[in-house]
Amino acid sequence: MKSSQGKMENKWNFQGNGELKVAPAITIRGVLTMMMQNLNTDDQRPVIPLGHGDPSAFPCFRTAVCAEDAIVDSVRSGKFNCYSPSVGILPARRAVADYLSNDLPYELSPDDVYLTIGCTQAIEVVLAGISLINPVANILLPRPGFPFYDTRAACSNLEVRCYDLLPEKGWEVDLEALEALADENTVAMVIINPGNPCGNVYTSQHLKKIAETARKLGIVVIADEVYDHLTFANNPFVPMGTYGSIAPVLTLGSISKRWLVPGWRLGWLVTCDPNAFLQNSGLMKSIKGCLDVAPDAPTFIQAAIPQIIENTKQDFFLKTVEMLRSAADICFDKLNEIPCIMCPSKPEGSMFVMVKLNFSLLDDISDDVEFSLKLAKEESVIVLPGVTVGLKNWLRITFACDHLSLQDGLGRIKAFCERHAKKQ
Ligand SMILES: *Cc1c(COP(=O)(O)O)cnc(C)c1O
């Protein structure tokens, strides 16, 4: 087809019919890529990555040797080169059921466990499953939160309503506001505990209140516990499933964070529902349907799971938690020395802290994105602008890196803030 200028008309220039629902600007990866592109290549100093949560790049955060051995044994056995059933292989499902039951007041069965490609795919199938039972369904997400939920919901045309976490209350859920957001089409609420991006850990009492609210509203609690047991302050990790008898809980998790192997891509979706509220529900049928059409977690990784869980010693977990505890201390102390950065609470779990920027003390920086871009350019330090996780003019800082790099990075942030401080 020729246009009036005689040029070939480009029929392939698909533009869609509106705003893109998945654009790099609204994913953590997209924003971090933008920060990396803004680095000054003449800076001889190493780049300090305080933006994303993958400590496996640091030698001090290497996984347990027995976990590596389990993978090698699994491959060498030659028995796991086959396809997996869509729910996962039985020994691995049983191992995960037993692992999670250790912290619950009831026993999970292997049939409660569905193995997925990391926690990421567990999120995908749950949100897709919800969107397919009801075209006007909605879910309640925390703000600040983990943007993958928003983006993934958009891919499924699933309506999202955000409820606030309260910084002055240790980032607890604003339950009153949450109740006001819900209606008859609300299917579920998501909590992330231990928290990303806030580094908070919920008390048992708060989790119980969440369960009671979910019961009142007749909704499911989706508990993202990918940072399970990574806690290092007063509140121990309590699984949401503890209150599964009050309201049904779908627990999402993986070995990515606790075992420091996000590249192994092994996660789970688990029904913590001792009263079988969900047993014959359309929701579970829909989620299982989605699992059937989704790719499966690699069979040889699944096959290594029983050994990984059984053989990893407490020493390994304690070492990781100790390292995170001291990193959180360093981070909190150093950040408190910087006048334009306000840190509402010391991180108690996961690998992150949220801090608020005070622009009245800064001269030539007007928002969190500009702060992060200039910091990357001038100091070769990467942090995540808060707008990415739903809180404009905050920053998410990761402390899961080796202590020397962390101190170096925080020192550079301090120097940056001093250089840009408003002159009195
Ligand atoms: C890292 C992370 C995930 C994804 O976990 P994978 O097992 O690596 O897929 C999910 N939710 C939260 C809150 C995370 O921080």
Side-chain angles (χ1 to χ4, degrees):
M1 210 188 297
K2 296 270 172 100
S3 74
S4 52
Q5 283 88 27
K7 266 201 190 151
M8 181 76 115
E9 184 186 320
N10 184 355
K11 290 184 291 188
W12 297 274
N13 182 22
F14 301 110
Q15 291 296 335
N17 55 4
E19 234 173 276
L20 291 181
K21 286 186 172 168
V22 184
I26 50 173
T27 64
I28 290 184
R29 277 188 194 169
V31 171
L32 290 178
T33 302
M34 183 170 94
M35 296 298 151
M36 297 298 283
Q37 284 163 348
N38 211 46
L39 289 166
N40 173 5
T41 45
D42 293 336
D43 190 344
Q44 300 297 309
R45 297 174 295 176
V47 175
I48 310 283
L50 308 182
H52 73 325
D54 184 359
S56 65
F58 300 98
C60 63
F61 283 109
R62 180 152 174 186
T63 195
V65 175
C66 64
E68 296 173 353
D69 287 342
I71 298 286
V72 173
D73 289 351
S74 176
V75 173
R76 278 276 153 75
S77 75
K79 288 195 270 182
F80 304 104
N81 299 332
C82 51
Y83 284 116
S84 148
S86 63
V87 292
I89 62 173
L90 183 60
R93 300 172 81 198
R94 183 176 292 131
V96 171
D98 293 346
Y99 168 67
L100 297 177
S101 296
N102 284 333
D103 299 311
L104 292 171
Y106 50 88
E107 285 287 313
L108 294 169
S109 119
D111 291 339
D112 290 314
V113 178
Y114 305 86
L115 297 178
T116 54
I117 305 179
C119 183
T120 301
Q121 195 193 32
I123 298 171
E124 259 171 38
V125 293
V126 171
L127 299 190
I130 292 174
S131 75
L132 292 173
I133 49 167
N134 174 0
V136 293
N138 68 70
I139 55 161
L140 309 178
L141 296 183
R143 178 176 49 214
F146 186 59
F148 183 74
Y149 283 92
D150 305 73
T151 319
R152 192 57 237 181
C155 293
S156 294
N157 276 317
L158 175 61
E159 183 190 337
V160 161
R161 300 181 181 181
C162 288
Y163 67 82
D164 288 324
L165 303 181
L166 303 169
E168 65 284 2
K169 285 192 163 177
W171 300 104
E172 284 191 347
V173 176
D174 185 346
L175 285 169
E176 261 175 49
L178 178 135
E179 272 191 49
L181 280 177
D183 64 15
E184 70 280 8
N185 293 318
T186 305
V187 176
M189 64 176 288
V190 173
I191 63 161
I192 303 171
N193 182 53
N196 176 8
C198 302
N200 60 307
V201 180
Y202 290 142
T203 60
S204 187
Q205 296 87 308
H206 188 60
L207 294 171
K208 186 160 184 236
K209 279 191 198 146
I210 290 173
E212 283 160 354
T213 306
R215 184 186 185 92
K216 189 165 152 194
L217 298 172
I219 62 176
V220 176
V221 182
I222 298 169
D224 183 328
E225 295 178 352
V226 77
Y227 296 98
D228 67 334
H229 296 282
L230 294 181
T231 62
F232 33 81
N234 295 334
N235 301 340
F237 167 69
V238 177
M240 186 69 222
T242 306
Y243 300 107
S245 57
I246 300 177
V249 176
L250 294 177
T251 299
L252 317 184
S254 77
I255 58 170
S256 302
K257 310 288 161 72
R258 195 177 187 205
W259 270 272
L260 304 164
V261 288
W264 291 9
R265 311 309 303 130
L266 197 288
W268 49 79
L269 151 60
V270 178
T271 50
C272 292
D273 180 26
N275 293 330
F277 295 125
L278 292 178
Q279 194 159 51
N280 297 310
S281 64
L283 177 61
M284 286 316 295
K285 285 183 192 143
S286 183
I287 289 174
K288 284 181 215 171
C290 291
L291 275 166
D292 266 340
V293 293
D296 311 314
T299 315
F300 74 95
I301 308 270
Q302 294 187 39
I305 284 293
Q307 261 197 65
I308 292 174
I309 290 177
E310 194 172 318
N311 295 351
T312 307
K313 297 281 181 299
Q314 220 44 42
D315 290 2
F316 167 75
F317 297 131
L318 287 175
K319 178 171 163 253
T320 310
V321 164
E322 235 1 274
M323 224 137 43
L324 290 173
R325 184 201 317 275
S326 43
D329 285 345
I330 294 171
C331 195
F332 188 70
D333 292 345
K334 288 264 171 195
L335 290 171
N336 273 328
E337 293 172 11
I338 308 175
C340 67
I341 290 183
M342 196 276 289
C343 189
S345 46
K346 193 164 172 172
E348 305 182 325
S350 86
M351 306 172 173
F352 309 97
V353 64
M354 284 294 284
V355 297
K356 191 175 185 178
L357 294 170
N358 180 349
F359 292 101
S360 69
L361 299 176
L362 287 166
D363 203 17
D364 51 354
I365 297 174
S366 61
D367 67 21
D368 53 335
V369 174
E370 193 183 1
F371 183 99
S372 309
L373 284 170
K374 285 188 168 164
L375 180 68
K377 172 133 274 159
E378 296 174 24
E379 298 288 349
S380 301
V381 175
I382 306 288
V383 296
L384 189 73
V387 69
T388 324
V389 295
L391 273 195
K392 193 170 166 51
N393 292 337
W394 290 63
L395 301 174
R396 187 191 76 171
I397 297 177
T398 308
F399 47 82
C401 57
D402 76 73
H403 292 359
L404 284 177
S405 307
L406 183 62
Q407 269 157 339
D408 186 359
L410 292 163
R412 292 189 212 173
I413 295 177
K414 188 175 178 190
F416 175 83
C417 291
E418 280 165 3
R419 204 163 56 245
H420 290 274
K422 199 162 264 170
K423 309 288 176 288
Q424 241 72 69

